[in-house]
Amino acid sequence: MERVYIETYGCQMNFADSEVVGAILRDAGHSLAGCVEEADFVLINTCAIRDNAEQRVRHRVRELRARQGRNKRLRIGILGCMAERLQSRLMTEEDNVSFVCGPDAYRRLPQLMAQVREGQRGSEVELSTTETYADIEPVRLASNGISAYISIMRGCQNYCSYCVVPYTRGRERSRDPQTIVAEAKGLFDNGYREVTLLGQNVNSYRYDAVGFPELMAMVAEVSPLMRVRFATSHPKDLSDELLEVMARYPNICRCIHLPVQSGSNRMLKLMNRKYTVEWYLDRMASIRRHMPDCSITTDVIAGFCGETLEDHEATLELFRKVRYDYAYMFKYSQREGTYAAKHMPDDIDEAEKTRRLNEIIALQGQIALENNRTEVGREYEVLVEGESHRSKEQLFGRNSQNKVLVFDRKDAVPGTYRKVKVTDCTAATLIGELID
Ligand code: 5AD
Ligand code: SF4
């Protein structure tokens, strides 16, 4: 049986999928290698969302070619969104890749690998309308033993005009809530204290009578000592009902990631986002009404097709209004096959995209620092996660708002809740001291 090393790029969903892949391979008798050096197979779970994500993977595949020169047994398989997008074309372009396997075909991995050992190359890229891997107990690959991902729904059919995800991950489908609650319970019993419910579009979750708010309540009931987070929500269906459930359970974390993409109604329409800036700001107001201490984060795209300076200014203005605690900020990257690629010219030049992006980054950095400065003096319950990267004498953890707090270790141990008072900050981190 082969020794397999799994390498993961991209979003949280990919990390969760790699843990499902790990379980499928282990159940088929393979062992999971701790590093490439020990592996017969390297599986690369890939992202296709922007061109630079794909280039990173291409670079890695070419780097592994040298290793294959030294180890003739070593094979490479490509999983995930890039496999789905490029299919067998990828094996033509990268001739040291033995197979491609899309996000809904992971149960076929053992056969694919056997086929490769017999000298054939393979491609499994069929998308499914039903696959949720609900019965598979993931191998917790990336885990610290304290927090874990639970995938609750897959796919997306919003068709934002710039986005490749509906083509690489297929239609939306939700997983049986009983299997989700059972997974959460199992994690809690094994010492985990935080779960993040994952889906491309979690608030579209629906399984028979159970919608996302009901599911959140069911998972929150597993234990008041287990924190529950979720990602990602679409603004168009962030309901008051969900906010009410969040407010009712203190163990549902006070943190909402709500990608805005642009602060201009004209751009939002071209992006097919199905909401307006006014609707988005109304959702912000509702979040703050229900949970005044809720942290809000976002995604934004600079330089989408036809974006004028006025549109860009509207994005900056929205950032000044909302005052996000964190933002993932990107330059628009045209993706083949999307509505925008087919019908809208990618007409903002690279230097101008960079300039606009940098303007957003600078503004957001300043806002994050100002937000953090208001935290000094506040006290938080922190779930201790581990040793700080800077010093062995310090630990780090997160508060409910998902902000990282660093503090002197004293008698604290990872996996427990402690009270920390904030004494100082940077734009990215709160610095504090144990007070219990
Ligand atoms: N170009 C740049 N950013 C993109 N995103 C999605 N598609 C693209 C694209 N073509 C961003 C969006 C999304 C996040 C996951 O990636 O902001 O919310
Ligand atoms: Fe892409 Fe839009 Fe679906 Fe998010 S909601 S995955 S941005 S199509």
Side-chain angles (χ1 to χ4, degrees), residues 180-369:
I180 296 168
V181 172
E183 190 173 330
K185 251 177 157 2
L187 286 164
F188 184 74
D189 293 342
N190 280 305
Y192 284 80
R193 291 296 174 264
E194 180 176 88
V195 292
T196 303
L197 307 187
L198 289 183
Q200 255 75 41
N201 206 339
V202 283
N203 35 25
S204 298
Y205 177 89
R206 174 154 295 280
Y207 193 97
D208 297 337
V210 182
F212 188 59
E214 293 83 24
L215 178 72
M216 283 295 282
M218 287 162 72
V219 176
E221 296 274 352
V222 167
S223 166
L225 286 178
M226 189 159 72
R227 285 181 169 178
V228 187
R229 302 185 185 277
F230 59 96
T232 292
S233 318
H234 194 301
K236 79 177 160 59
D237 35 33
L238 184 86
S239 65
D240 281 351
E241 198 191 344
L242 172 63
L243 299 176
E244 279 153 25
V245 169
M246 289 181 73
R248 204 178 319 135
Y249 290 92
N251 58 323
I252 299 183
C253 290
R254 269 48 183 149
C255 176
I256 300 184
H257 183 63
L258 206 62
V260 69
Q261 314 299 5
S262 170
S264 150
N265 280 333
R266 199 177 74 82
M267 282 292 113
L268 290 173
K269 186 136 186 74
L270 290 172
M271 289 173 161
N272 193 30
R273 288 292 287 177
K274 305 177 184 105
Y275 56 83
T276 59
V277 171
E278 292 70 28
W279 164 265
Y280 189 91
L281 290 174
D282 171 76
R283 296 293 78 207
M284 294 291 112
S286 188
I287 292 169
R288 291 193 165 132
R289 231 175 9 252
H290 285 89
M291 293 167 287
D293 59 345
C294 191
S295 167
I296 301 168
T297 61
T298 202
D299 294 348
V300 68
I301 299 175
F304 184 59
C305 309
E307 186 186 70
T308 62
L309 284 175
E310 213 179 341
D311 296 320
H312 170 62
E313 184 51 47
T315 295
L316 296 172
E317 192 48 41
L318 180 88
F319 269 57
R320 285 184 207 109
K321 266 194 198 133
V322 177
R323 301 185 61 78
Y324 296 107
D325 282 312
Y326 191 82
Y328 296 90
M329 299 162 275
F330 310 107
K331 280 190 272 190
Y332 171 57
S333 166
Q334 187 178 65
R335 309 312 288 139
E336 194 186 338
T338 58
Y339 185 89
K342 285 184 199 149
H343 304 287
M344 299 150 81
D346 181 12
D347 54 0
I348 311 299
D349 72 47
E350 198 54 29
E352 179 60 13
K353 280 182 189 172
T354 304
R355 193 193 68 77
R356 293 181 194 180
L357 176 66
N358 286 341
E359 222 165 67
I360 303 174
I361 291 172
L363 172 63
Q364 178 52 34
Q366 186 190 329
I367 292 171
L369 180 61

Side-chain angles (χ1 to χ4, degrees), residues 1-101:
M1 281 295 154
E2 338 264 353
R3 291 164 301 172
V4 188
Y5 183 67
I6 308 174
E7 242 173 56
T8 310
Y9 294 80
C11 64
Q12 293 166 309
M13 195 65 160
N14 261 13
F15 283 82
D17 280 0
S18 287
E19 301 189 327
V20 167
V21 167
I24 291 172
L25 296 176
R26 202 194 41 198
D27 293 350
H30 297 286
S31 62
L32 298 177
C35 58
V36 186
E37 287 73 20
E38 295 167 1
D40 308 307
F41 252 102
V42 181
L43 303 187
I44 310 181
N45 196 355
T46 62
C47 171
I49 197 112
R50 283 170 292 277
D51 186 58
N52 56 12
E54 292 205 359
Q55 291 316 320
R56 210 169 304 139
V57 169
R58 299 259 187 184
H59 184 80
R60 181 64 179 142
V61 167
R62 287 166 197 169
E63 211 172 64
L64 286 170
R65 180 191 290 279
R67 195 175 289 281
Q68 286 178 304
R70 297 193 295 271
N71 172 5
K72 299 279 182 243
R73 268 188 69 79
L74 186 64
R75 297 284 176 269
I76 301 173
I78 303 290
L79 318 180
C81 288
M82 225 176 131
E84 191 62 47
R85 189 177 93 70
L86 296 165
Q87 310 197 343
S88 49
R89 209 167 104 196
L90 186 56
M91 289 189 289
T92 318
E93 290 167 4
E94 310 292 340
D95 63 6
N96 56 329
V97 168
S98 294
F99 69 80
V100 292
C101 183

